[in-house]
Structure formats: structure tokens, C-alpha cells
């Protein structure tokens, strides 16, 4: 290494980091089968967006069906397939790939000052499994799509149509992809950080990805086992789950939720990371409680492995297990609450600029806290007996998955769009888009809470006429939300055509990805910078030395800059 | 992967280029990353086996009224422990020979390496043969007959598949060594192969206990 | 059948002792190494030695509790 300022700890891996491999020239190697983490991230984003639109359409079919008590649009069996596919696709083919594959790939290596992930070829393979698995999943519509809900509980899933086999294959494949990405990211974060970037100098988004990786490769593999067993039971008649043949449907529930509860946190911890990046940038304040936010992600990840059976309180599992699962589930509220309070304290007294990412971050705090509170209701065994299998659960999970994960995805998309494309988006349209989604979302899902408390069961294509008013209200609101989502894609297209040049650092942020040109060059950093401190100390000089002006970070000559000034 | 990237690459780095140790440093760093990734991969494989082991334990202890389960009013027989014990020794023995093969490679003892490598592959193939014999003689109703057969054939089948892949992995490594891919300083493939082989042995320790001794 | 099982038990017994001893020797040789691969190897060799003990228990008929088939 070149001479660093005294006191800079050099990271152990700079020799590899310092090497730049030549950019491929052919279109296919550059944009289709690329090993560049930025291209792969954008590929994930485009693929995930396509699946998001398809799954969103399925959701609108569900809401349209529920406009009238007897079901408006589709036959009951088709309805079963539609909500099953909506859930499966949203969980495995939208939220998880977007939060880890897309943002993790694009942003994380930039934030740690690396030129790529540890295993670029593995990354390429992991990505290409994703669209193939998605096509397999949706092709199940041709042979009869799975109809037992996204959880596919046996024995119903054992009797399900042939598409259930394709469902098993597709989810198994995406699990393999997720496992590869998890291992890749963990090694990248452990081994490829820039010199001086100790663990407690990592940006919080990196911490979030770091906490998510073990969930991706441990929990997902366990699900792989459960799926393989379901597949061989369906195809070869090998008894695991069929109670008539000595199997147990509860076995599936245990194995499925041992994965799927941690998966809930795969779907939210990276979102926490995005919010932790957005808030200090737009509040122009250091993040409050850096270590608390970082460590609470890890605490949540660890706890998440020991709470799965709270999905099974009404399943007939042994009663003495209910109490410990209830208590541990409630314990997760502590690290989550730590984060919420840290974010609010970050906003407190800040000079907040209400750009669209900041609006989404604030919206996230509101809706996610609300979803967390109803989660507390569901964790309580006696209340769960009443609410289980009703629309209260549907409302809760959409508050955490849409109000949490998707809101954070929107926040991240607006926040890093200038870095990805090099262009600004239309701020006015962005704000309109936020309010459409935020209002549409809350008006869709808030009424479902009381419909659930009144006893409206989930996954049923018709309902008692007394529930109609709020169902119509929810459906109409969901159309507003859908229009908002379409507007989002219009904004991106518009920005790509007409957007102003963003420059390297339009938000005046302080993490490493903003120190280089937008979009970043193929090799990311001409020189790998050295890191002197955590990135959030607004008001202090930037904690980086050795950045090259040729990287495009002209306004932030690293050695003697004050804190960066937002240009937009 | 990363090695070849580094070797192809030119660099715009700001340290003194191409000193004698530079290549060595890059090798050590990439080896370290690949080793970490490989160990994590083995960890995921442990989880995969654990999922099926959980299924077996759960079905045996929480669902089945007696074990081995009843089929058509008759209790199924236990598996043949004595034969499996011999087969286990064969597999564990291949683990030891693999360890000695790697040690021989580290000390540049080519002939010794070849000997132990051949022994390892033979013992591994022998274990597979033993498994085939075991499958032909297990009177527990086949793969899809009952939960005993389901757990036994799924788990040992998965393990057998791992051994099968492992045998070919070792053969491929052996061919690579004869082509001079590795020297006595740089042999990550052999390290990975050895770890994989030990891992396969250890999974068998657990399966042997669960199916034959419990 | 009974005598065949007896031969198998003797083979297993001898084999387990031999393999177990070599496993322990290998483990001792690895003991002071500190790389990640060395740590994993130690763990795996240790478990393999434990596997040899299990085989011994089977050869002596101590496990399974109901006696072998």
C-alpha cells in the first residue's frame, strides 16, 4: 500500500482489492452475463420489478374479486391459485431478491470500497437462477397453479394441482440462489472491506446485509429440505407429511416456519439498513445510536431462529411450547424498538429535507411500527386464537411487508437511483407518488384489521354481506396504490429520458458510494480509499483518504473537505 | 475465479507493483476467501441434512406409536447393524487415508500422495458398494412404503449422493494434480476436497447412530 | 447368518480400532495448526474418532439397546 496517514489501520486484503480487471467489451458479457456486481444488481432490479408488476396484478384480482360478497371476477378455485401465487411471488421473487440481490449487490460492495463481490461468477450464476425459477413458478398457471396458499400446508398441498410440483422446484431454485448470494455477501463483507474499515466503521446498510446473510444461507437451506420432502412425497409417494401414512402435516409447518420466520427478517433487515442510510442523509445529522442499530440487526437475526412456532399456535402443537415461543417473539420487539427510537432521535432536531426518499423513510417508520404493534397482538397466544386465519393476519403481514419492506425498497430506489442512472428523477412526481402509495396503502390495509377482528377469514373468495363496505373501501384504495406504483415506473422512465445530471453526490451523503461518479465506473474506485471513521458524522470532514479525483468525486477532495454539500 | 481475475488484471493501484511477494499475497488472500466460502457452503449442507434429520426424529418420536413402525399389523425389522458397522469403518478409513494424502502432498511426497489417493477413492467406492448391498437387503418396505423407509432412504440416499459426488471430486482433483495444477504451496482444491470428504464422513457418523444404533 | 454377523463384528472391531487410532494420531498432528481449514479439520477428525467409538459400541453389542439384528 501507499503511505497512509498515521493511525490508519490497513485492511488485510488490499492486494486483491487493488487489482482491476479489464472491462469486457462484448454486449453479452457486459450486460447479459456480466460479472459486475452493479450490472447484476440492476438485472435483479429489472427482473424483480417485472415480477412485482405481475404479483401486483394478482393482488388487484384478489381485491376486485372481493368487491362483492359473492366474488366478482374469478371462480373460487382460480382464486385459491391467485392468492397462493401472489404470496409466493411477492416473498421469494420480489422482496427477497430486491432487498438482497438488487440493493445488496449494487450498493454493498461500493459502500465497503470493494471492486466487486468475493465470487463474481457465483454472483452471475445466482442471478440467472432467479429469472429461470420465476418463469418456472409462473408457468405453473399452465398446468394448474398451486392453491394451498404461499405456505402450501399439507395435506392440501399434497392434493394440489400439478403446478405445485413446479412451485416446489421454483422455490427450491430461488433458495439455492439466495444461499449463494448469502455466502458470497458474507465473505465479501468479512474479507473485502477497504483498509481501515473496521466492523464498526461499516455503513449501516452493510451491517444490515451482514446480519441478513446467515439467515439467507441457513434458513433457506432448511426450507430446501422441506421443499424437497414435499416434492418427493407428491411425485414418488414417499410419506413425510401425509397423516394417513404415518407422516405429519405439523412436520411441514415446523420446517416451513423454521425457514419462513427468519425469512421475514431477510425481508426487513436490509430495509432497516436502507432507512438507516436515508435518514441521516436527509436529516443532515449523525445517525443516533450507530452501534445500537448495527447490533440490534444481529440480535434480531439471532432471535429470529427461535420464534418460528408462533405461526402455529392454533395448529395443535404441544401447548407447553407456546409460552416460550410467545415470550421470545415479544423479545424481538426490543431490538426493533431500539431501531425505531434511534431513527426518531436521528430525525429529532435535524434540518430535514423532505425529498422522496426521506418521505418514504418517515412513512416506513409509521407503517412498520404499526405493523409491529399488531404483530405483538398476534404473538400473544390468547389473542392469536381469535385472530389466526383472519384478515387481521393479512393486515398485519402487509403492514410489515408492504409498509416495511416495499416502502424501504421505494426509499432505496429513489435514494440510489441517481447513483445507478446518473440522473435525477422528478421530485414533484416523486412526492405525488409517495402520497398515492402511502394513502392508498393505509386505506387498503387498515380496514382489514377490523374486518379480521369481526371474523372475516382470509383466503376465502366470498364473505358475509355485512363486511362489504370496508371491502369496497379497501379495494378502491388498492387501485390508488396500484396507480402510484405505475407512476413510479413512469418516473424512472421520465428520469432516464429527461432527468438532470445527478453528479457524484446529489444528496450530500457521506458513504463511499457517493464519493465516485454516477453511474460508477466499471472498476468502482480508481484507488481504494482508506477509511478513518464511521460515515455518519455530518459536520466533520469526510473520513476517507486516498480517493482519486479521477473517480469523479471532484467536489469532495478527500483530505481537506468539509462535509459535502447537497447539490439537489 | 478471483485468482484468474487478479492474474489477468492490470492495475491502477498505488502500491509498488510486482514485487516478488505480490503474487503470493494475492494467492493467500483469494485462498482465504474461497476457503471461507467453502466452509460456509459445508455449513449449509449441514443444515440441509439437519432438516431431514429433524423430520426423521420428529416422525419417530412424536408421530409413530412404535418404532420401527407397524405395517399391516407387523412391526418392521431393525436394520443390520453389524454390516453397517463394517461399512462405516470403510468410510472412516477413507477419511484417514485422505488426510494422509493431503499431508503427503504438503510435504511433496508425490508417490505417497498417489497411494493414499487411490486408497481413498477405492474405500469411497467400496462404501458405495456396501450401501448398494444394504439397500438391496433392507427389509423396511422401500422408499415410499412407510416413514421409516422414507427417512432412511432419503437421508442415506442424500449421503450416498454426496459420497458419489465426492468420489468424482477426488478423481477430478487427482487428474488435476497429475496435470500440474497444484504445487506443494498452492493446493486449495485439495484442501477443499479433503474438507468435503471429512464432512461426508462426519455426516455418516450421525446417520449411523440415528439409523443403526438408536 | 449368526456366524457371518460374528465375522462382521470382528472386522468392524478391528477396523474401528485401527481407523480410530490413526484418526487420533492425525488429530494430534493437526492440533497446533491455526488456519480455518485446520480448525474445521480438527472438528471433523474429532467427530470421526467419535464415529469409531460408535462402531466399537456396535461391535460389542452395547448399542443399539435391543441388540443388533
Amino acid at each position: 500500500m501507499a503511505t497512509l496517514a498515521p493511525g490508519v489501520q490497513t485492511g488485510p486484503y488490499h492486494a486483491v482489492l487493488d487489482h482491476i480487471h479489464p472491462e469486457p467489451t462484448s454486449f453479452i458479457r457486459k450486460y447479459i452475463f456480466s460479472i459486475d456486481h452493479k450490472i447484476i444488481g440492476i438485472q435483479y432490479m429489472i427482473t424483480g420489478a417485472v415480477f412485482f408488476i405481475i404479483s401486483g396484478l394478482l393482488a388487484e384480482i384478489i381485491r376486485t374479486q372481493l368487491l362483492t360478497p359473492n366474488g366478482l371476477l374469478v371462480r373460487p378455485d382460480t382464486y385459491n391459485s391467485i392468492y397462493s401465487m401472489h404470496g409466493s411471488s411477492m416473498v421469494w421473487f420480489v422482496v427477497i431478491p430486491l432487498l438482497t440481490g438488487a440493493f445488496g449487490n449494487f450498493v454493498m460492495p461500493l459502500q465497503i470500497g470493494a471492486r466487486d463481490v468475493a465470487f463474481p461468477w457465483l454472483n452471475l450464476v445466482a442471478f440467472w437462477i432467479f429469472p429461470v425459477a420465476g418463469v418456472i413458478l409462473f408457468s405453473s398457471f399452465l398446468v394448474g397453479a398451486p392453491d394451498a396458499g404461499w405456505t402450501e400446508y399439507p395435506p392440501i398441498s399434497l392434493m394440489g394441482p400439478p403446478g405445485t410440483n413446479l412451485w416446489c422446484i421454483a422455490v427450491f431454485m430461488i433458495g439455492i440462489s439466495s444461499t449463494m448470494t448469502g455466502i458470497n455477501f458474507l465473505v465479501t463483507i468479512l474479507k473485502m472491506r477497504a483498509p481501515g474499515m473496521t466492523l464498526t466503521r461499516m455503513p449501516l446498510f452493510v451491517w444490515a446485509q451482514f446480519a441478513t446473510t446467515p439467515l439467507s444461507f441457513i434458513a433457506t437451506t432448511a426450507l430446501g429440505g422441506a421443499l424437497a420432502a414435499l416434492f418427493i412425497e407428491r411425485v414418488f409417494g414417499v410419506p413425510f407429511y401425509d397423516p394417513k401414512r404415518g407422516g405429519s402435516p405439523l412436520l411441514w409447518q415446523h420446517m416451513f416456519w423454521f425457514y419462513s420466520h427468519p425469512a421475514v427478517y431477510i425481508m426487513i433487515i436490509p430495509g432497516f439498513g436502507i432507512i438507516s442510510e436515508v435518514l441521516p442523509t436527509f436529516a443532515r445529522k449523525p445517525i443516533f445510536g450507530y452501534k445500537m442499530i448495527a447490533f440490534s440487526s444481529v440480535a434480531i437475526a439471532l432471535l429470529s431462529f427461535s420464534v418460528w412456532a408462533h405461526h402455529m399456535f392454533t395448529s395443535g402443537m404441544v401447548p407447553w411450547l407456546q409460552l416460550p415461543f410467545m415470550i421470545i417473539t415479544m423479545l424481538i420487539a426490543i431490538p426493533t424498538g431500539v431501531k425505531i427510537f434511534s431513527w426518531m432521535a436521528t430525525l429529532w432536531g435535524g434540518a430535514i429535507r423532505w425529498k422522496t426518499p426521506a418521505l418514504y423513510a418517515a412513512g416506513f417508520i409509521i407503517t412498520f411500527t404499526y405493523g409491529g404493534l399488531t404483530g405483538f397482538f398476534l404473538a400473544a397466544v390468547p389473542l392469536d386464537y381469535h385472530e389466526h386465519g383472519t384478515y387481521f393476519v393479512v393486515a398485519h403481514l402487509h403492514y410489515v411487508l408492504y409498509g416495511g419492506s416495499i416502502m424501504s425498497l421505494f426509499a432505496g430506489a429513489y435514494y440510489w437511483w441517481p447513483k445507478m442512472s446518473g440522473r435525477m428523477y422528478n421530485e414533484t412526481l416523486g412526492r405525488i407518488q409517495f402520497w398515492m402509495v402511502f394513502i392508498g396503502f393505509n386505506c387498503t390495509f387498515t380496514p382489514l384489521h377490523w374486518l379480521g377482528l369481526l371474523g372475516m377469514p382470509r383466503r376465502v373468495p366470498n364473505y358475509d354481506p355485512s363486511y362489504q363496505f370496508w371491502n369496497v373501501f379497501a379495494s378502491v384504495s388498492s387501485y390508488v396504490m396500484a396507480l402510484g406504483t405505475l407512476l413510479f415506473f413512469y418516473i424512472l422512465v421520465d428520469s432516464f429520458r429527461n432527468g438532470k445530471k445527478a453528479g457524484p453526490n446529489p444528496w450530500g451523503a457521506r458513504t463511499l458510494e457517493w464519493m465516485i461518479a454516477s453511474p460508477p465506473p466499471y472498476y468502482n474506485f480508481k484507488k481504494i480509499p482508506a477509511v478513518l471513521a464511521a460515515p455518519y458524522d455530518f459536520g466533520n470532514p469526510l473520513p476517507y483518504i486516498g480517493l482519486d479525483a479521477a473517480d469523479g468525486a471532484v467536489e469532495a477532495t478527500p483530505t481537506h473537505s468539509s462535509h459535502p454539500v447537497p447539490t439537489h | 475465479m478471483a485468482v484468474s481475475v487478479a492474474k489477468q488484471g492490470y492495475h491502477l493501484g498505488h502500491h509498488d507493483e510486482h514485487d516478488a511477494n505480490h503474487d503470493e499475497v494475492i494467492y493467500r488472500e483469494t485462498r482465504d476467501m474461497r476457503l471461507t466460502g467453502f466452509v460456509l457452503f459445508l455449513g449449509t449442507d449441514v443444515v440441509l441434512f439437519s432438516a431431514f434429520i429433524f423430520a426423521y426424529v420428529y416422525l419417530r418420536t412424536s408421530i409413530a406409536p412404535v418404532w420401527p413402525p407397524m405395517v399391516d399389523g407387523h412391526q418392521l425389522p431393525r436394520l443390520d447393524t453389524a454390516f453397517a458397522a463394517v461399512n462405516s469403518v470403510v468410510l472412516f478409513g477413507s477419511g484417514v487415508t485422505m488426510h494422509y494424502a493431503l499431508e503427503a502432498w504438503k510435504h511433496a511426497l508425490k508417490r505417497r500422495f498417489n497411494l493414499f489417493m487411490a486408497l481413498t477413492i477405492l474405500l469411497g467406492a467400496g462404501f458405495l458398494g456396501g450401501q448398494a448391498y444394504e439397500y438391496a437387503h433392507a427389509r423396511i418396505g422401500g422408499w415410499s412404503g412407510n416413514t421409516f423407509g422414507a427417512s432412511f432412504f432419503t437421508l442415506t440416499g442424500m449421503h450416498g449422493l454426496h459420497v458419489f459426488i465426492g468420489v468424482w471430486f477426488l478423481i477430478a482433483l487427482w487428474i488435476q494434480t497429475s496435470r500440474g495444477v497444484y504445487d506443494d504451496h498452492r493446493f486449495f482444491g485439495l484442501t477443499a476436497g479433503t474438507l468435503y470428504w471429512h464432512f461426508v464422513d462426519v455426516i455418516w457418523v450421525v446417520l449411523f447412530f440415528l439409523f443403526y444404533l438408536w | 447368518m449368526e456366524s457371518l454377523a460374528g465375522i462382521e463384528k470382528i472386522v468392524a472391531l478391528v477396523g474401528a480400532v485401527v481407523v480410530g487410532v490413526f484418526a487420533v494420531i492425525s488429530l494430534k498432528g493437526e492440533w497446533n495448526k491455526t488456519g480455518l481449514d485446520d480448525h474445521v479439520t480438527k472438528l471433523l477428525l474429532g467427530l470421526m474418532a467419535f464415529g469409531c467409538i460408535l462402531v466399537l459400541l456396535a461391535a460389542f453389542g452395547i448399542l443399539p439397546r435391543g441388540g443388533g439384528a
Side-chain angles (χ1 to χ4, degrees):
Chain A
M1 288 299 292
T3 47
L4 295 174
V8 176
Q9 303 165 8
T10 53
Y13 295 102
H14 47 264
V16 169
L17 285 183
D18 256 359
H19 275 73
I20 296 175
H21 48 145
E23 187 172 8
T25 45
S26 76
F27 180 81
I28 288 186
R29 291 296 307 280
K30 205 169 170 179
Y31 295 112
I32 310 292
F33 298 109
S34 172
I35 56 167
D36 178 6
H37 70 98
K38 301 183 288 299
I39 300 290
I40 292 177
I42 289 167
Q43 286 175 322
Y44 267 108
M45 214 159 284
I46 294 168
T47 320
V50 170
F51 292 141
F52 182 50
I53 291 171
I54 298 174
S55 327
L57 284 175
L58 294 175
E60 293 305 333
I61 295 175
I62 295 172
R63 282 317 323 167
T64 308
Q65 171 84 353
L66 297 178
L67 277 172
T68 63
N70 290 320
L72 187 66
L73 205 58
V74 292
R75 290 205 322 250
D77 54 339
T78 316
Y79 182 80
N80 290 346
S81 293
I82 285 173
Y83 68 69
S84 305
M85 292 292 280
H86 164 73
S88 308
S89 168
M90 278 291 187
V91 168
W92 286 298
F93 293 84
V94 178
V95 174
I96 293 177
L98 283 178
L99 277 173
T100 54
F103 284 105
N105 255 315
F106 189 92
V107 178
M108 182 272 288
L110 292 174
Q111 285 195 330
I112 62 171
R115 295 232 154 94
D116 207 327
V117 291
F119 309 115
W121 280 97
L122 192 67
N123 208 14
L124 165 72
V125 175
F127 166 72
W128 276 103
I129 291 174
F130 168 42
V132 174
V135 168
I136 293 176
L137 180 78
F138 283 105
S139 64
S140 68
F141 271 117
L142 302 175
V143 293
D147 59 0
W150 78 280
T151 51
E152 289 294 326
Y153 278 9
I156 300 176
S157 58
L158 293 175
M159 309 171 210
T164 312
N165 298 343
L166 293 178
W167 178 88
C168 290
I169 295 170
V171 178
F172 190 83
M173 284 173 70
I174 196 78
I176 292 174
S177 160
S178 207
T179 305
M180 289 174 171
T181 308
I183 291 176
N184 206 345
F185 281 11
L186 184 55
V187 177
T188 308
I189 295 172
L190 284 177
K191 304 287 182 186
M192 296 183 72
R193 303 190 306 276
M197 184 177 280
T198 56
L199 285 176
T200 49
R201 291 174 185 173
M202 295 195 308
L204 286 165
F205 181 71
V206 178
W207 262 105
Q209 292 289 341
F210 181 62
T212 311
T213 50
L215 304 182
S216 310
F217 63 75
I218 295 173
T220 311
T221 323
L223 176 74
L227 288 166
L230 182 64
F231 184 79
I232 58 179
E233 176 150 7
R234 281 181 54 90
V235 176
F236 303 109
V238 179
F240 279 104
Y241 303 125
D242 188 349
K244 288 197 300 262
R245 305 177 62 209
S248 166
L250 268 186
L251 172 64
W252 166 267
Q253 296 190 25
H254 278 298
M255 289 167 82
F256 182 83
W257 288 115
F258 180 78
Y259 158 77
S260 285
H261 199 80
V264 166
Y265 295 98
I266 299 176
M267 292 187 276
I268 198 64
I269 293 177
F272 290 161
I274 293 174
I275 301 304
S276 307
E277 297 296 333
V278 169
L279 284 176
T281 301
F282 290 95
R284 315 301 304 157
K285 259 187 71 189
I287 186 97
F288 184 90
Y290 169 90
K291 283 188 181 168
M292 280 323 211
I293 293 181
F295 298 160
S296 61
S297 292
V298 180
I300 291 171
L302 292 177
L303 281 173
S304 75
F305 278 111
S306 48
V307 297
W308 76 91
H310 68 216
H311 296 269
M312 300 166 57
F313 288 154
T314 61
S315 69
M317 73 173 200
V318 280
W320 61 265
L321 267 176
Q322 295 184 342
L323 196 61
F325 275 108
M326 167 175 140
I327 291 168
I328 301 169
T329 304
M330 291 185 167
L331 280 181
I332 289 192
I334 295 171
T336 318
V338 163
K339 281 184 195 294
I340 303 272
F341 281 113
S342 299
W343 290 327
M344 301 215 300
T346 305
L347 286 174
W348 182 267
I352 309 170
R353 291 171 300 139
W354 289 111
K355 304 283 184 187
T356 314
L359 284 172
Y360 267 110
F364 169 95
I365 295 179
I366 295 165
T367 51
F368 183 77
T369 306
Y370 194 67
L373 285 175
T374 54
F376 225 82
F377 287 41
L378 288 165
V381 177
L383 274 171
D384 187 64
Y385 277 15
H386 179 62
E387 292 153 354
H388 192 88
T390 69
Y391 261 85
F392 192 87
V393 176
V394 175
H396 159 71
L397 77 91
H398 283 89
Y399 258 89
V400 287
L401 281 183
Y402 200 103
S405 310
I406 303 275
M407 290 268 198
S408 67
L409 280 170
F410 275 131
Y414 281 109
Y415 183 60
W416 282 302
W417 173 258
K419 181 53 62 185
M420 292 174 181
S421 68
R423 290 175 185 277
M424 298 308 293
Y425 58 88
N426 185 323
E427 192 62 53
T428 315
L429 284 180
R431 286 177 191 174
I432 293 171
Q433 196 267 343
F434 165 75
W435 286 110
M436 283 174 80
V437 166
F438 187 74
I439 294 171
F441 166 78
N442 281 295
C443 292
T444 306
F445 289 104
T446 311
L448 300 189
H449 288 102
W450 50 81
L451 283 175
L453 287 176
L454 288 171
M456 180 173 164
R458 66 192 286 204
R459 296 177 171 171
V460 177
N462 45 27
Y463 51 85
D464 188 275
S466 61
Y467 302 142
Q468 188 172 13
F469 174 77
W470 288 114
N471 267 298
V472 172
F473 185 82
S475 295
V476 172
S477 311
S478 79
Y479 300 144
V480 177
M481 190 165 61
L483 285 177
T485 310
L486 290 181
L487 179 59
F488 171 73
F489 292 109
Y490 171 76
I491 291 171
L492 298 193
V493 173
D494 171 64
S495 155
F496 213 73
R497 286 204 184 137
N498 311 317
K500 283 182 292 184
K501 285 255 184 282
N505 193 357
W507 309 126
R510 293 171 55 93
T511 39
L512 269 173
E513 78 270 30
W514 302 104
M515 301 298 131
I516 52 176
S518 308
Y522 182 68
Y523 47 81
N524 296 350
F525 298 90
K526 203 161 189 179
K527 291 178 184 170
I528 302 295
V531 178
L532 305 168
Y536 301 107
D537 295 331
F538 282 90
N540 285 334
L542 284 167
Y544 310 117
I545 50 177
L547 279 166
D548 195 319
D551 283 343
V554 275
E555 93 274 41
T557 311
T559 38
H560 49 78
S561 67
S562 66
H563 78 273
V565 180
T567 51
H568 284 276
Chain B
M1 290 163 276
V3 176
S4 59
V5 164
K7 277 181 182 164
Q8 289 163 16
Y10 57 92
H11 60 96
L12 309 168
H14 49 292
H15 60 91
D16 295 335
E17 279 94 48
H18 298 302
D19 51 283
N21 278 332
H22 190 69
D23 214 30
E24 182 59 28
V25 172
I26 287 182
Y27 174 74
R28 249 192 291 122
E29 292 167 358
T30 49
R31 177 189 181 274
D32 192 32
M33 291 197 288
R34 294 164 77 181
L35 179 65
T36 312
F38 193 78
V39 170
L40 290 173
F41 156 70
L42 292 182
T44 64
D45 228 3
V46 170
V47 178
L48 187 63
F49 276 100
S50 307
F52 282 98
I53 288 171
F54 171 78
Y56 165 64
V57 173
Y58 184 83
L59 291 175
R60 175 167 174 168
T61 58
S62 299
I63 305 299
V66 289
W67 197 269
M70 309 287 283
V71 172
D72 302 330
H74 298 285
Q75 196 175 10
L76 292 169
R78 294 188 61 97
L79 295 158
D80 179 1
T81 304
F83 180 77
V86 175
N87 215 17
S88 306
V89 167
V90 170
L91 189 65
F92 299 158
S94 80
V96 171
T97 54
M98 188 64 219
H99 183 78
Y100 279 86
L102 183 68
E103 287 301 309
W105 185 266
K106 283 182 192 169
H107 296 96
L109 304 168
K110 198 76 193 288
R111 280 172 56 92
R112 210 176 137 94
F113 168 80
N114 284 334
L115 173 72
F116 278 113
M117 204 67 182
L119 260 176
T120 308
I121 290 168
L122 273 179
L123 288 169
F127 173 83
L128 285 175
Q131 276 293 88
Y133 177 85
E134 177 83 14
Y135 276 18
H137 289 80
R139 299 266 173 270
I140 54 171
W143 190 26
S144 54
N146 58 76
T147 49
F148 188 15
S151 336
F152 174 75
F153 286 106
T154 308
L155 268 167
T156 55
M158 265 167 62
H159 176 263
L161 186 67
H162 276 76
V163 177
F164 183 75
I165 294 170
V167 167
W168 284 104
F169 190 2
L170 294 186
I171 290 174
L173 287 171
W174 205 10
I175 294 171
Q176 281 192 320
T177 56
S178 67
R179 285 188 183 163
V181 175
Y182 308 112
D183 60 33
D184 54 345
H185 290 295
R186 301 182 181 193
F187 50 86
F188 175 71
L190 292 176
T191 308
T194 310
L195 286 178
Y196 180 82
W197 196 253
H198 287 333
F199 161 79
V200 168
D201 290 354
V202 164
I203 294 289
W204 184 254
V205 174
V206 180
L207 297 187
F208 178 63
F209 174 78
L210 286 175
F211 285 112
Y212 295 94
L213 301 186
W214 179 26
Chain C
M1 273 317 275
E2 195 51 48
S3 63
L4 184 65
I7 295 167
E8 282 170 347
K9 282 187 177 179
I10 292 167
V11 173
L13 181 90
V14 175
V17 169
V18 173
V19 172
V21 165
F22 277 107
V24 170
I25 291 172
S26 313
L27 185 59
K28 220 179 139 211
E30 287 287 299
W31 198 253
N32 289 325
K33 300 184 186 170
T34 53
L36 174 63
D37 48 339
D38 302 317
H39 286 306
V40 177
T41 306
K42 276 183 265 183
L43 175 71
L44 295 177
L45 280 178
L47 286 168
M48 224 168 73
F50 175 70
C52 290
I53 295 172
L54 288 182
V55 173
L56 285 179
L57 292 178
F60 286 121
I62 298 169
L63 278 177
R65 273 179 300 173

